[in-house]
Amino acid sequence: MKRYLSAISAVASLALLAACSSGPVMESPVEVYFTENINVYPADAFTPDTIQGVTVIDEVMGAFEAISSDGVTVLYTPRDSPMIKVYTASGDSLGAFGIKGQGPNDFYNATPVMIEIAGDGDTCVWLNDVSARMLKRLNITRSRVAGTTLVDSVINTEFGAINVALVGNRLVYELMDNDAYKLKWRDLDTPADTVHAEQMYVYPTQDFYAYYSREGVSPDGKHVVFGMTYFNQLNIVDIPSMERRAVSVGNLMKYDDCYDSKERANKYDGYGAVACGTDNIYAIYFGTPVTDEDVPERTTTTIHVIGYDGTVRAVHVVPDVLMALFFNSDSGKLCGIDDNDRVIQYDI
């Protein structure tokens, strides 16, 4: 899904050294606003078409998130132990790794970030262990040989770094800090290691959670995309310039009176998952209910296809209740995880 191998090998070593140093310099944040540089499309501007998928991995208990590239698919299953399941491209199991814990080879709250082929040829996967405040690299090859979970590199992050991306030597993440949503990044192999930040203010509040869905990185490493379900928009960030644009389907004005996440939770629900393909972004769109009435149970899933320029290109409906999306860069296919813990592949 994301492949920047030689740079990451250097990143891992430098990150370990950085852990012993005084840490990177913190830069004052640049203030931006959610409504800046955004394309807004009417919710009824597109006529969806229905597409069918095929099941490629069947019933992985508690499947929650996944990534796929370099001949392997890695599933994160937080309700099961071991929590990390690895499969071949054809769906054959390569093993399960990672018990829940806080030891050096354990994972507590970890989502997959990037698959990497290390310099020695080992297949590895980076996972964001939020509770441990670090990225951990699980060496799949060595773990299979040893019969136990082996973490061979770490990169320190900040508390609250929910969505994290590795793009070459650049670490990009989003978090809440001092009641404001922040997009931060740092270059891990530069002598003057600095944390840069964009602080996206809306209104001061004690309970404001802008992020929800996971990030995506384009296979060419030129874009990072963050889905923000409460604000019904996708933030598209170009690499290395960090220029940001956004896209939203629906009317943003109705959000002006509500920034408390507890009040918003049952009223506003936009983008719920993101996957970056070669040419397009794929995003699950739940819609935006604005009443206090119960929301009907989903029986289908709407997927928006969006260009990296922020243009909505198509809208599809699949007859599956998808909880997550990921892009298989080997096959060039979009995949989803449904509410029956199946991995389904779509020809979009």
Side-chain angles (χ1 to χ4, degrees), residues 172-175 181-185 196-200 224 226 235 237 242 244:
V172 184
Y173 55 97
E174 60 173 357
L175 50 71
Y181 166 85
K182 289 183 179 179
L183 175 67
K184 294 190 174 186
W185 67 94
H196 309 271
E198 282 189 355
Q199 186 154 297
M200 297 184 180
V224 177
F226 295 99
N235 286 303
V237 182
M242 301 305 292
R244 170 192 159 274

Side-chain angles (χ1 to χ4, degrees), residues 53-59 320 336 338 341-346:
V54 295
T55 300
V56 292
I57 301 176
D58 196 16
E59 295 184 17
D320 311 294
D338 75 354
D341 299 330
R342 300 176 303 170
V343 174
I344 303 173
Q345 181 173 280
Y346 301 94

